[in-house]
Amino acid sequence: MNKNAGNLQTWTQWGAILLLLIAVTPLLALSAFNHPSPVDDYCYIDTVFKYSWPEAMYFYYTGWTGRYFSILLNHTNPLLFHWFGGFKVIPPFLILGITSAVFLFFRKTLQQTSARAALSITGIITFLYVMALPSPAEAFYWMAAFSTYTFANIFTVLWIISTTAWYHTTDQPSRKRIEILSCFFVFAIIGSSETNLLIICLLIGSWWVYRLLYFRKIDYFMVTTVVLATICLLFFFLAPGNSARLDGNPLSGDIITSAIASFRKLGQLLWAWSNQTPLLFFSVIWWLILDNRTLRTSHYLSAPVWLVMLLYIGILTAQLFPSYYGIGIEPTPRVINCVYLFFLLGWFFIIALIKSFAVKHNIQVPDRLVIALAVLTLLFPVRNYKVIAASNTLSMLYTDWLSGKAAAFDHEMSERYAMIRASNDQEITLPPIQNRPWSLYIGDIADSHWWVKCTAGYFGKETIHITDSPTK
């Protein structure tokens, strides 16, 4: 690599790290103003207080869903300990958890790469993710959503890292620790949601295909993982709550229609993400950042491109399928959050895989051509600086934070708690929340009779009324 190319690579790496800071800063800042949502968060703990911790979880398992791990997390949320501050503490761990998982994924797959290079792709992916994130509240701030999806997303990436690390670790105690960790990830992922369940099943299946076709081997780690996954799947799908949920949705259960709808939705999402974000520009930047020497020696980039591509499309489509098949509706923003994360992760991994193939087969791609492509992607299909400036999610995060709206929301919520605790009446009336930062806000008590009942029950009241008043 000549000096100019080396300088260009260094500058692009530092620029990508700056993007990481731009994306993560408002997310971390807004965490300080987060609160439990009346949407489900109180219901889980109100059920625990009325019955018991095991009985409440059994009630949900038999009456609503087989998501045993997310049931565990939701019934152990900070409200169980009357710790409202916990809702300000958990989001930073999730935000840093996703960025750390992405960093470790590329640091591991791109062997001998520098920490700065791995941090740069983390910056690119995080920036693109936050820019077009359908719902930051459902990704990081709403307990009922992030306990079902975000934790599982992090565990899925870490499972990939731990599984690949097992085959390149010779120390037996280290191998045993990796096995235990990997088994925990499988258990937690399958028990979190149908979306993540399908992802891990596809990953395990493709891992078996790869090992059988290219190595002609079956090892005990593979067998252990499949046995554990089978047990977890049985525990998930045999839950009586699944039947109750499906029976209540007449549009669910049509496999062909659901599959067609999933592919159609995926096509719409891919078109939007490639045309309404600077994805293509950053794809070229990533190509420049990748170091040829690293690509030539990394055995993690030896997987066949066709298998990775099939797995990639399968994972993206599978995440959309449960919404159509299970409940007969369009995927919710929290589901699209997951699809978008794995879309970005897979997209940039495949770029590294393709460049690795080119390097190993001595296929030369001139730097000038790559730079010319970078310039073209700034002009077509979108003018990226306008896209970034107009990013609804990114601008919303900064606006909610810097305008003081999130701080005002935090103040109003604290006042509401004080009013509830100060009243000795069983029936109380509260003013509505005037400041609603949509990066944090999901809904208010009065939006559903269930949320009124659960919130009132949690605070030891019979009912709560919200006065009618215009909201901001």
Side-chain angles (χ1 to χ4, degrees):
M1 181 182 295
N2 59 45
K3 183 177 180 180
N4 290 335
N7 290 336
L8 177 63
Q9 187 182 70
T10 300
W11 280 107
T12 52
Q13 288 176 348
W14 283 113
I17 293 170
L18 177 61
L19 292 177
L20 175 63
L21 295 176
I22 292 172
V24 167
T25 299
L27 290 173
L28 294 174
L30 286 168
S31 300
F33 309 115
N34 192 40
H35 286 269
S37 173
V39 184
D40 294 339
D41 287 346
Y42 287 98
C43 288
Y44 292 110
I45 307 306
D46 180 49
T47 309
V48 172
F49 288 169
K50 285 181 177 176
Y51 301 98
S52 68
W53 188 61
E55 197 168 340
M57 289 188 288
Y58 180 74
F59 171 76
Y60 273 82
Y61 179 76
T62 57
W64 184 242
T65 179
R67 300 171 178 177
Y68 56 84
F69 189 75
S70 62
I71 288 175
L72 171 66
L73 293 181
N74 278 311
H75 285 87
T76 319
N77 82 50
L79 288 175
L80 180 63
F81 314 100
H82 302 284
W83 182 34
F84 287 76
F87 290 84
K88 302 177 188 294
V89 172
I90 297 175
F93 284 97
L94 293 173
I95 295 160
L96 297 177
I98 281 187
T99 54
S100 299
V102 174
F103 172 81
L104 290 172
F105 176 81
F106 283 98
R107 188 74 195 274
K108 194 70 178 178
T109 55
L110 303 177
Q111 292 175 297
Q112 301 178 8
T113 191
S114 66
R116 190 172 66 192
L119 199 58
S120 65
I121 185 56
T122 305
I124 289 173
I125 289 177
T126 305
F127 182 76
L128 288 170
Y129 182 60
V130 174
M131 233 188 85
L133 188 63
S135 175
E138 294 181 43
F140 301 115
Y141 305 115
W142 179 28
M143 179 83 192
F146 68 63
S147 63
T148 303
Y149 295 98
T150 308
F151 275 116
N153 291 339
I154 296 170
F155 292 158
T156 300
V157 179
L158 294 179
W159 178 84
I160 297 171
I161 296 169
S162 62
T163 299
T164 52
W166 188 88
Y167 289 98
H168 301 95
T169 301
T170 55
D171 179 61
Q172 288 305 314
S174 296
R175 267 194 162 190
K176 184 58 64 177
R177 287 192 293 270
I178 292 173
E179 289 170 23
I180 294 171
L181 197 60
S182 175
C183 287
F184 166 75
F185 290 147
V186 171
F187 168 80
I189 293 163
I190 291 177
S192 292
S193 71
E194 295 82 1
T195 298
N196 297 95
L197 177 154
L198 288 173
I199 294 173
I200 194 66
C201 286
L202 285 171
L203 286 170
I204 291 173
S206 63
W207 167 38
W208 269 70
V209 170
Y210 178 61
R211 294 290 299 176
L212 289 173
L213 288 181
Y214 290 88
F215 294 93
R216 310 287 183 183
K217 291 181 180 179
I218 297 178
D219 54 70
Y220 82 94
F221 183 41
M222 294 170 66
V223 174
T224 301
T225 301
V226 169
V227 170
L228 173 63
T230 302
I231 294 171
C232 293
L233 287 170
L234 288 172
F235 192 64
F236 186 102
F237 285 112
L238 292 179
N242 289 325
S243 298
R245 201 174 187 186
L246 286 171
D247 291 343
N249 296 277
L251 296 177
S252 63
D254 189 332
I255 295 178
I256 296 177
T257 302
S258 299
I260 294 172
S262 300
F263 278 106
R264 184 187 300 115
K265 183 66 176 180
L266 179 61
Q268 294 170 354
L269 291 171
L270 295 182
W271 177 258
W273 292 332
S274 60
N275 285 272
Q276 298 174 13
T277 72
L279 175 70
L280 299 179
F281 171 73
F282 285 123
S283 299
V284 178
I285 295 299
W286 174 227
W287 184 281
L288 292 171
I289 291 173
L290 287 165
D291 183 71
N292 290 354
R293 291 168 297 180
T294 299
L295 298 175
R296 195 180 297 276
T297 57
S298 176
H299 51 252
Y300 290 102
L301 295 174
S302 59
V305 178
W306 68 268
L307 180 60
V308 175
M309 289 292 293
L310 284 177
L311 176 63
Y312 181 52
I313 298 299
I315 285 176
L316 298 182
T317 308
Q319 292 178 79
L320 300 168
F321 182 80
S323 296
Y324 295 109
Y325 180 78
I327 51 179
I329 63 171
E330 285 280 306
T332 59
R334 52 188 172 273
V335 172
I336 305 300
N337 287 346
C338 300
V339 180
Y340 189 38
L341 175 65
F342 286 100
F343 163 75
L344 292 172
L345 198 64
W347 178 275
F348 287 97
F349 176 76
I350 288 171
I351 290 174
L353 197 64
I354 292 172
K355 186 171 182 180
S356 174
F357 179 85
V359 169
K360 291 174 181 177
H361 291 81
N362 296 316
I363 301 172
Q364 300 294 325
V365 181
D367 288 336
R368 290 183 179 180
L369 176 60
V370 176
I371 294 171
L373 286 173
V375 173
L376 283 175
T377 55
L378 285 172
L379 304 174
F380 179 82
V382 291
R383 292 181 175 85
N384 291 287
Y385 68 92
K386 288 186 177 180
V387 172
I388 295 171
S391 166
N392 290 331
T393 302
L394 202 58
S395 61
M396 177 181 67
L397 291 169
Y398 273 100
T399 300
D400 285 348
W401 171 35
L402 298 178
S403 68
K405 194 171 187 178
F409 167 74
D410 180 37
H411 179 71
E412 284 189 78
M413 290 299 296
S414 297
E415 284 191 333
R416 174 177 279 187
Y417 303 146
M419 291 174 65
I420 295 173
R421 291 174 180 134
S423 176
N424 294 321
D425 298 330
Q426 286 297 303
E427 186 173 335
I428 60 175
T429 300
L430 301 172
I433 298 300
Q434 298 292 325
N435 294 275
R436 300 182 176 186
W438 294 106
S439 52
L440 300 172
Y441 182 84
I442 294 294
D444 204 359
I445 300 171
D447 294 342
S448 168
H449 75 281
W450 278 110
W451 305 340
V452 171
K453 182 179 178 180
C454 293
T455 307
Y458 176 82
F459 285 101
K461 307 295 181 182
E462 288 185 7
T463 189
I464 295 175
H465 301 288
I466 303 296
T467 59
D468 293 329
S469 174
T471 57
K472 297 179 184 178

